[in-house]
Amino acid sequence: MKKLKWNTPEQLRSLLCELVSWDSQTHTEGERTFPIKLEEKLLELDYYQQHPNYLSLHDVDHGRKFVSAFYKHPEATETIVLISHFDTVQTEEYGDLQPLAFQPELLTKELYERRHDLKEDVRRDLESGEFLFGRGTMDMKMGLVLHMSLIEKAISEDWPINLVLITVPDEEVNSAGMRAAVEVLTSLRNEYGLTYKLFLNGEPSFTQKPGDLKYYIYSGSIGKIMPAALFYGKETHVGEPLKGMTANYMASYLTQLMEWNPLFRETDRGEDTPLPVSLQQKDLKLQYSTQTPYRTVALYNVFLMKRTASDVMNLFEQVAKEAADKCNKDYQALCAREQIDAIGEVRVMRYQELLDYAKNKLGHEQVEQLIQEVLNNEEWDERDKSLKVADHLMIRCKELAPSIILLFAPPYYPAVNSSDDTLVQETIELMKTVSLEEFGVQVNQIHYFNGLSDLSYVNYQDEGEGWTAFEQNTPIWGNAYTIPFKEMAELQAPVLNIGPFGLDAHQISERLHITSAFVHTPVLLERVIKNMFQNEEEKLKLTTV
């Protein structure tokens, strides 16, 4: 048997440091070059030189690509998909240590020299020697390393099961990589007659609260959606404030009702979604002037467990109408006090209603031209473009003002959960037993991964058309942003997230637990997969007796 390259703790650590050194911050050149380097790395395995069609780069967007690496057993149809992402968040918080952010060994040593300047828990972990620091060590290049090790071992030992490694860009922003991978996964299934048995992600174990040192695995992933609003008032000069209505005044009513609103909280299996908060609120004035701000936008973060996009839009509209009623009541009282005529009543409209109105007034061709003008602006991201489309339409339909236009802005992560699946339940029990007996570490199950993950784009369970409200009310839908809902629904297999323990993702103190990453988790993952095909072999023996 050929000696393995990515098997021992030392080999895994070396591979991790190499992958981390390939700076792949989201929306940088490094993110574009990372998959090319990874393909070259995987080609070090003879298997992919002999089967070059099993290793591929696939286009995503903006020059970015994702990698698929297929281990195909000649007689197997059962297939496990290994999912990871290789992009990382930015590194500005490292300050003068930024050049070392992607050099884990050097960064860990330098931080040790500065340990007295760090928080007590970080300093304690540094002094223990049990953690490796660096951007991407925890979130989540170690997950990719573990999957590469599994592929190599499957090849070496001729495992009677198929593995598909998928590693993608852009998870930290819009999950464009995973959304593109859905089509490849459906194509692979059809071409090779595969039966997907499990979608296994490698995101790390996150703490549930400060000071939490428990090890978690996840049988689902929380969802996220972003209701947004364009507030369109009436402009005036600050010297004549009662001749208009500021959009900021209107926005204040909705934001007050959206922030921490328990109406949006969901509870499932004893776990709660975090309460909604505003992620952005700003007026659209390009420069300072004494003209009052009459166009304002806001984004609100809402987490999901069971609700669909349609459910959330219905709730959002309900809250927006309550906000408009309060705003109108207070405004009417103001008009009575100041003895002036009102400029109108604030109305609430969904984006779909605005779009239909604009097409009827301006014509389909002019509306499409307005939308295309926004889409062509490369300086705006997907959220900006969504809000700008609504703004451009309202500028030409200002007779609808004052109005609150409700819409969705990307990204959208549907919730996914497999806690009731028999295979997942058996796997979790196996992990609990192995981890406790061999390592003395307790495994704890969480039903919804609270950090968001690419598992949201497989095993889609909406039996109705709960996504239609998203399609209808996302201004850039079908152009700058799409979700393959129908294809996602075809990828029916349970989900599970098993990764190493780490702390402080997206912080200067991001760190990976060395023993968990290089000793415990590799053993657990190997046991999990071997148990699956060994169970199948036992079933086969029973049916042939």
Side-chain angles (χ1 to χ4, degrees):
M1 184 181 295
K2 190 172 182 180
K3 186 176 180 182
L4 297 176
K5 301 166 63 66
W6 309 320
N7 184 48
T8 67
E10 294 76 20
Q11 290 171 329
L12 293 174
R13 182 166 179 157
S14 176
L15 178 59
L16 173 66
C17 290
E18 182 177 4
L19 297 193
V20 170
S21 73
W22 302 344
D23 176 357
S24 54
Q25 298 171 73
T26 315
H27 291 311
T28 65
E29 183 61 25
E31 187 186 29
R32 287 185 282 273
T33 59
F34 184 96
I36 299 170
K37 295 177 181 178
L38 184 64
E39 182 185 41
E40 294 173 355
K41 195 72 181 175
L42 287 164
L43 279 170
E44 293 179 11
L45 301 178
D46 293 342
Y47 183 82
Y48 291 115
Q49 297 175 27
Q50 297 162 7
H51 304 280
N53 56 316
Y54 288 173
L55 177 63
S56 303
L57 297 182
H58 309 269
D59 290 332
V60 179
D61 60 9
H62 309 300
R64 299 183 295 187
K65 299 178 184 293
F66 73 88
V67 180
S68 68
F70 187 20
Y71 161 70
K72 178 74 176 77
H73 187 275
E75 299 174 6
T77 59
E78 299 277 2
T79 305
I80 297 173
V81 181
L82 308 172
I83 298 172
S84 64
H85 69 86
F86 56 76
D87 64 314
T88 73
V89 295
Q90 308 305 307
T91 58
E92 287 85 352
E93 71 273 16
Y94 284 87
D96 66 318
L97 290 176
Q98 200 168 357
L100 300 182
F102 298 106
Q103 303 294 329
E105 304 288 6
L106 295 176
L107 176 66
T108 303
K109 290 178 181 178
E110 183 59 32
L111 284 172
Y112 186 85
E113 297 300 317
R114 307 184 186 193
R115 62 191 182 279
H116 298 297
D117 298 329
L118 301 173
K119 294 187 302 180
E120 182 180 351
D121 61 321
V122 180
R123 177 177 54 79
R124 184 173 60 247
D125 287 346
L126 264 171
E127 291 175 343
S128 74
E130 295 177 358
F131 287 85
L132 189 64
F133 288 68
R135 176 61 80 241
T137 52
M138 172 194 178
D139 186 17
M140 69 161 292
K141 287 181 177 174
M142 189 62 216
L144 172 56
V145 166
L146 291 167
H147 293 172
M148 292 170 68
S149 176
L150 287 171
I151 287 277
E152 182 187 31
K153 186 159 285 189
I155 293 168
S156 174
E157 298 180 0
D158 194 30
W159 289 359
I161 196 168
N162 305 317
L163 299 179
V164 177
L165 181 152
I166 296 284
T167 189
V168 299
D170 193 55
E171 190 271 351
E172 299 291 359
V173 181
N174 290 318
S175 279
M178 190 61 202
R179 287 185 285 118
V182 168
E183 182 178 348
V184 171
L185 286 172
T186 55
S187 297
L188 273 175
R189 181 201 59 193
N190 296 338
E191 181 179 354
Y192 293 100
L194 307 180
T195 300
Y196 289 133
K197 190 178 182 71
L198 180 69
F199 293 103
L200 182 60
N201 204 358
E203 291 276 8
S205 172
F206 277 75
T207 58
Q208 293 297 108
K209 58 184 179 180
D212 182 13
L213 298 179
K214 295 179 181 177
Y215 177 68
Y216 298 104
I217 59 174
Y218 307 85
S219 51
S221 192
I222 201 168
K224 165 198 166 81
I225 198 166
M226 201 139 58
L230 166 69
F231 305 89
Y232 202 104
K234 175 69 173 69
E235 74 278 11
T236 186
H237 189 284
V238 292
E240 300 176 307
L242 299 179
K243 285 189 175 181
M245 180 185 291
T246 68
N248 294 343
Y249 176 75
M250 298 159 58
S252 67
Y253 285 86
L254 182 54
T255 297
Q256 282 283 338
L257 291 184
M258 283 298 295
E259 289 267 0
W260 308 323
N261 189 333
L263 188 65
F264 292 89
R265 174 189 280 142
E266 287 191 70
T267 301
D268 186 39
R269 305 168 191 275
E271 297 174 17
D272 297 326
T273 57
L275 293 172
V277 293
S278 58
L279 286 178
Q280 185 182 80
Q281 183 170 306
K282 64 180 181 179
D283 69 67
L284 299 182
K285 287 176 64 174
L286 297 178
Q287 64 277 320
Y288 169 80
S289 75
T290 53
Q291 181 193 58
T292 56
Y294 64 98
R295 293 142 57 222
T296 293
V297 294
L299 300 174
Y300 305 102
N301 190 87
V302 173
F303 285 110
L304 308 166
M305 285 178 174
K306 297 293 187 181
R307 287 176 179 151
T308 65
S310 295
D311 295 331
V312 173
M313 179 53 78
N314 290 338
L315 286 175
F316 188 40
E317 185 175 45
Q318 174 186 329
V319 173
K321 286 180 175 178
E322 182 183 347
D325 288 344
K326 288 186 177 183
C327 180
N328 286 326
K329 182 179 179 181
D330 290 349
Y331 178 62
Q332 290 297 333
L334 168 70
C335 291
R337 187 190 75 200
E338 299 295 328
Q339 298 183 346
I340 60 167
D341 293 330
I343 66 166
E345 280 201 347
V346 176
R347 75 176 80 196
V348 174
M349 299 177 65
R350 294 190 183 195
Y351 170 75
Q352 181 65 54
E353 297 175 76
L354 171 62
L355 182 63
D356 291 342
Y357 181 93
K359 287 180 178 178
N360 186 58
K361 176 185 177 181
L362 306 173
H364 183 86
E365 185 176 340
Q366 187 175 351
V367 167
E368 289 303 315
Q369 183 179 341
L370 289 171
I371 293 173
Q372 198 58 47
E373 287 175 3
V374 174
L375 296 175
N376 290 340
N377 190 315
E378 296 183 358
E379 294 182 4
W380 294 334
D381 68 12
E382 288 83 354
R383 285 145 294 282
D384 293 326
K385 289 178 179 179
S386 297
L387 296 163
K388 290 287 188 181
V389 167
D391 182 47
H392 276 47
L393 296 181
M394 268 301 295
I395 287 173
R396 287 156 181 82
C397 301
K398 60 179 62 179
E399 64 273 14
L400 296 175
S403 288
I404 303 174
I405 309 299
L406 308 181
L407 57 121
F408 285 123
Y412 173 29
Y413 288 79
V416 61
N417 186 270
S418 297
S419 296
D420 293 331
D421 184 84
T422 302
L423 175 64
V424 168
Q425 292 173 344
E426 292 174 352
T427 300
I428 291 172
E429 289 306 310
L430 173 68
M431 286 192 63
K432 287 180 177 180
T433 300
V434 172
S435 183
L436 196 59
E437 290 181 353
E438 298 196 15
F439 308 126
V441 174
Q442 182 174 335
V443 169
N444 303 274
Q445 178 186 2
I446 296 290
H447 297 287
Y448 290 92
F449 178 69
N450 54 317
L452 297 175
S453 81
D454 284 329
L455 288 176
S456 284
Y457 301 103
V458 297
N459 201 36
Y460 188 65
Q461 296 291 331
D462 181 17
E463 296 178 357
E465 294 189 344
W467 68 72
T468 55
F470 190 83
E471 293 183 350
Q472 293 168 354
N473 294 288
T474 301
I476 61 172
W477 179 263
N479 294 300
Y481 188 80
T482 58
I483 298 175
F485 289 111
K486 293 180 180 179
E487 290 80 5
M488 285 156 48
E490 293 178 20
L491 297 175
Q492 289 298 308
V495 303
L496 192 59
N497 190 98
I498 303 172
F501 178 76
L503 292 165
D504 294 352
H506 298 191
Q507 300 180 46
I508 187 175
S509 50
E510 177 180 349
R511 57 199 185 275
L512 181 72
H513 191 273
I514 292 170
T515 304
S516 175
F518 305 129
V519 179
H520 297 170
T521 314
V523 170
L524 293 175
L525 285 170
E526 184 176 343
R527 293 287 185 88
V528 163
I529 293 178
K530 283 187 172 180
N531 183 65
M532 289 182 188
F533 65 70
Q534 286 167 353
N535 282 347
E536 290 301 317
E537 289 177 336
E538 289 299 321
K539 291 177 186 176
L540 184 61
K541 288 178 184 178
L542 290 173
T543 57
T544 54
V545 171

